[in-house]
Amino acid sequence: MAGRPRDPELEKRLLDAGWALLTSRGYDALTMAKVAAEAQAHRTDLYRRWPTKAQLVVDVLAGHLPPVSEHDTGTLRGDLKAIVDDFAESWSSSWVDGLMALTADLHHDPDAELAFRTMAEGRGRPLHNALTRAMRRGEIGEIQELGLVGDLIEGPLMHRRMIGRQPLTPEYLDAVVTSAHRLLTGMSVTP
């Protein structure tokens, strides 16, 4: 005997309710009971799909985060600018304040941690592709550790927002792009 088929509309309501609560109240205030109530569903509907809050929130983020551009502007600098702007859109959101609590929960939930890593790798793919194109065009030399470049580019945005509690201004984003471009192309990093 087969179980009940999944109800895509119910899943959408649950994910939308999770996003609404995450963005309005933050990760710490989000509970499975509140998500179920917001979606006008039963908690069992929620737990059947996501056994933990962390798993739910990872899927909420995967479905609602602004996309990272896959534009080929023809230059490394142009590609970096588009990607940094997309990263900044996510890191400028108010829900980011609760991200540290989510990452702490991920250490206790291997399934959620794997889903989060998979989502992060997917969001990093446009940068990987931009670097690969730049290497093919001869703009930059061979890079052995492409993930490190992502850390060097997105790390300052994360640090400025989560630790420094400062906004990601256009001037700051331009400085990140300029620094990354100069570092990758071997030019002096000093402005």
Side-chain angles (χ1 to χ4, degrees):
M1 182 169 160
R4 284 190 298 178
R6 288 237 188 215
D7 179 353
E9 178 55 35
L10 175 59
E11 285 192 25
K12 182 179 178 344
R13 282 196 342 257
L14 292 166
L15 291 168
D16 288 347
W19 179 249
L21 290 166
L22 181 66
T23 56
S24 66
R25 298 188 187 147
Y27 180 80
D28 288 333
L30 184 147
T31 66
M32 300 294 256
K34 288 177 185 175
V35 171
E38 178 85 13
Q40 297 179 344
H42 298 282
R43 278 190 281 183
T44 56
D45 294 328
L46 199 55
Y47 282 109
R48 189 176 304 124
R49 290 159 176 82
W50 301 281
T52 66
K53 174 177 151 175
Q55 290 177 20
L56 168 65
V57 171
V58 168
D59 280 356
V60 164
L61 291 175
H64 287 86
L65 284 179
V68 178
S69 300
E70 186 59 74
H71 298 292
D72 182 353
T73 66
T75 67
L76 176 61
R77 183 172 179 76
D79 291 351
L80 289 175
K81 175 76 172 114
I83 291 166
V84 166
D85 286 346
D86 288 347
F87 284 157
E89 186 176 345
S90 294
W91 287 109
S92 294
S93 302
S94 60
W95 59 265
V96 165
D97 293 336
L99 197 57
M100 284 189 175
L102 170 62
T103 58
D105 282 354
L106 292 177
H107 293 294
H108 307 292
D109 189 337
D111 292 333
E113 185 168 9
L114 177 61
F116 188 81
R117 285 186 191 278
T118 302
M119 178 190 64
E121 288 169 7
R123 292 182 60 75
R125 197 162 293 114
L127 177 59
H128 178 276
N129 294 342
L131 295 170
T132 301
R133 288 190 302 268
M135 286 185 276
R136 271 193 241 123
R137 288 189 300 257
E139 286 182 87
I140 59 176
E142 187 72 24
I143 299 173
Q144 297 301 315
E145 184 57 53
L146 293 175
L148 176 61
V149 176
D151 294 345
L152 292 171
I153 291 172
E154 197 169 13
L157 307 181
M158 293 167 36
H159 187 274
R160 184 173 177 95
R161 269 293 282 124
M162 295 177 76
I163 307 300
R165 307 299 233 184
Q166 296 176 9
L168 300 175
T169 63
E171 297 80 18
Y172 183 79
L173 298 176
D174 285 342
V176 170
V177 169
T178 298
S179 297
H181 185 261
R182 288 179 176 170
L183 182 66
L184 289 167
T185 60
M187 298 171 11
S188 172
V189 177
T190 56

